[in-house]
Amino acid sequence: MDDWIEVDYAFPAGVDARRQAEIIAVGQTAGTWDERFRHRETALRAHLAELVRIGEGPAGGHLATIRFPRSNTDHGLGSLLTMIFGKYSLAGQAKVMNLRLPADLGQPVRYGLQGIRERLGNPQRPLVMAIFKPALGLSAADHAAILAEVAAAGLDIIKDDEILPNLPGAPTLERWRACRPVIAARRELTGQDLLYAVNLSGNAREALDLARQLVAEGANALLLNVLAYGYPLLEALVADPEIAVPIFAHPALAGAWCGVPDHGFSYASVLGTLMAYGGADAVLYPAHYGSLPFAEADEWAIVQQLRARGVAPVPSAGVHPGMVGRILDDYGEAVILNAGTGIMDHPQGPATGVLAFREAIARWQNQELLDPAKLPEGPLRAAIAKWGQG
Amino acid sequence: MDDWIEVDYAFPAGVDARRQAEIIAVGQTAGTWDERFRHRETALRAHLAELVRIGEGPAGGHLATIRFPRSNTDHGLGSLLTMIFGKYSLAGQAKVMNLRLPADLGQPVRYGLQGIRERLGNPQRPLVMAIFKPALGLSAADHAAILAEVAAAGLDIIKDDEILPNLPGAPTLERWRACRPVIAARRELTGQDLLYAVNLSGNAREALDLARQLVAEGANALLLNVLAYGYPLLEALVADPEIAVPIFAHPALAGAWCGVPDHGFSYASVLGTLMAYGGADAVLYPAHYGSLPFAEADEWAIVQQLRARGVAPVPSAGVHPGMVGRILDDYGEAVILNAGTGIMDHPQGPATGVLAFREAIARWQNQELLDPAKLPEGPLRAAIAKWGQG
């Protein structure tokens, strides 16, 4: 298996799946050749892919499994993507459903959920992550002031909004420099670290340079919009021994790759398998409980792919304290709960928003039912009054 | 206009386009805020986008134009993509149809068709480009032997197949080193240069390093699978003064972004606008004449975007000599004709394949009709006998 890359392609009803699979197996590999290349026959044949099986697919269509020689790639995700769906993506309706990859393809996961927990002093409970809001228009000092509030309330992780790049009003390095003493002060006070996943931007070289500079100045986590910047940039960050901090992957643009039934990629392959093989330590994706229209089946398929490599699942978008019980019933403790407005817009402010999450987690751990009528006054009750429950 | 980024979004029939446009204008920018941020009101408001107009769109839907402040981006394409469609791509059916960008956003086009011609001794005719085939399984020496054949026949440009990464059997640097003397010999003999667009691969840092090393060793063009590796990698190559050679952009994976009517991106935005603003010098895309099912309207929309920035259009996929007259009737002389098998699989070999293209170009320039019955024996006649005409 480790010499092979297996891909399941779904073809819609009405498409001759066998014919298309053969086009992929030949056209996306060595192609055809004539007698001029007889002397290279062995080498050429060794690069051909083969159709392994063909069966029923979703909605009356077919699912074809093709096995590619691993040796057609340079073991990175850029060449993998080009091989499995590069030119063929232009050839008609087809969807990459599943990828089965050699364990050592791409990059290893360096930290994952386990490593993130270790950096936070090893709490075994679900972790709580916030997002700086508003997304744009704050100064570096504003960021530090917000961070001070949530840090005091026991937050584990915070991240930039994904749309905040390196802007003159709050340059990325200055945001980090302003926030660094807040994190140091909490560590001093409580012994507990707090990770700040700083958003990378710029062209690929600038993003790599920025990552090194941030880490050199003490940054303890990074955020990357992997689909806007490319899996090969994620791989380069992970491969860099100077960038020894967990990397959080954001799903921005994933809908453009995965949002339709018969074309492109499955969410499980893009936000699950490829993120995990690119070396991401934690991956955000829409929670089906939340504010985006995301299918439960897609969510669990992503989680399965991430957990298989130890990557932290981060269900996101519209997560609020009243939803925590339900999420934890499904995920257990191996999860990062990520909320933007669900923390920042708590009626009593961001610090109380964090406390509401922690209260909800503690009640779930103690198996206390969350009957809103019986909840004592406090952070969680106020959150549920605003956002509801479940 | 230069302070603004305008985006046209198509929403399918049945979607409340005005409501969705407002979600984009607020949710993809500063979001909402409360009284705690009154002191930042001016800064926050300055980051909001606005709905400019809403009108009829394709297939009974609507087209909404949203104007974003340029200052929400770092002037690069990674932050641009995240802003215009990042999280929103997960929110429902919508398609980015057109982008109107400030002229100095992204990267300037350094060479374009004009610069590529200059490097080739300034021929004003259509240029002829070939692709090394078979795509995988050849040694560096095989590449050099193929190149020697087509170079002698007057080829202008050759490129690696996009699926050929840095493989042990023919490492990228060795391919270049083997081909370099062939190019030097032709320059010596004829005074004419030949560009070899060498395919980049690896993680983002490896690809940047490989590009610098190739150029340091004399490589005179590069190929990048921009969608598999990320526009920010293209931008980094273009921004690098050490990488002073034309960059050819390949459309691999574009179908996954653009292949369905109601979702993702238009081909014009992905293969036209974004490639041109990323600084690509030449962009390949499927010719509607060719072997891939590509819409004529998409092709011309791409060409318009490329030519507006001086980028060379490279219609591709299934191009053969019998098609040249028709392509040139449509494109005129400002085009690069790109053929893989249409050159390499000519019945009399690759060199004759190049001659067939040159013959077809010369006949078109002399306004000689291509009645196959009246064609003299020779390269073009043999090509048309194999592949037909038109």
Side-chain angles (χ1 to χ4, degrees), chain A residues 43-60:
Chain A
L44 289 164
R45 283 199 176 280
H47 285 291
L48 287 172
E50 58 182 276
L51 175 58
V52 176
R53 75 186 77 86
I54 199 156
E56 290 185 10

Side-chain angles (χ1 to χ4, degrees), chain A residues 12-94:
Chain A
V15 170
D16 182 345
R18 183 170 298 274
R19 169 93 186 103
Q20 293 305 309
E22 281 160 3
I23 289 174
I24 292 173
V26 174
Q28 293 289 126
T29 64
T32 55
W33 59 89
D34 61 18
E35 67 281 357
R36 291 179 298 128
F37 294 98
R38 284 288 170 260
H39 64 298
R40 290 281 176 251
E41 187 85 13
T42 310
L44 289 164
R45 283 199 176 280
H47 285 291
L48 287 172
E50 58 182 276
L51 175 58
V52 176
R53 75 186 77 86
I54 199 156
E56 290 185 10
H62 289 90
L63 199 69
T65 299
I66 298 177
R67 184 181 287 163
F68 296 87
R70 175 197 179 135
S71 59
N72 289 13
T73 75
D74 63 3
H75 316 301
L77 299 188
S79 67
L80 174 78
L81 281 167
T82 306
M83 175 180 73
I84 66 171
F85 207 52
K87 183 176 172 185
Y88 189 80
S89 73
L90 296 152
Q93 294 308 78

Side-chain angles (χ1 to χ4, degrees), chain A residues 89-111:
Chain A
S89 73
L90 296 152
Q93 294 308 78
K95 183 159 181 155
V96 174
M97 298 301 289
N98 307 293
L99 304 170
R100 287 176 294 280
L101 305 177
D104 61 340
L105 194 129
Q107 291 292 326
V109 175
R110 300 176 301 171
Y111 306 101

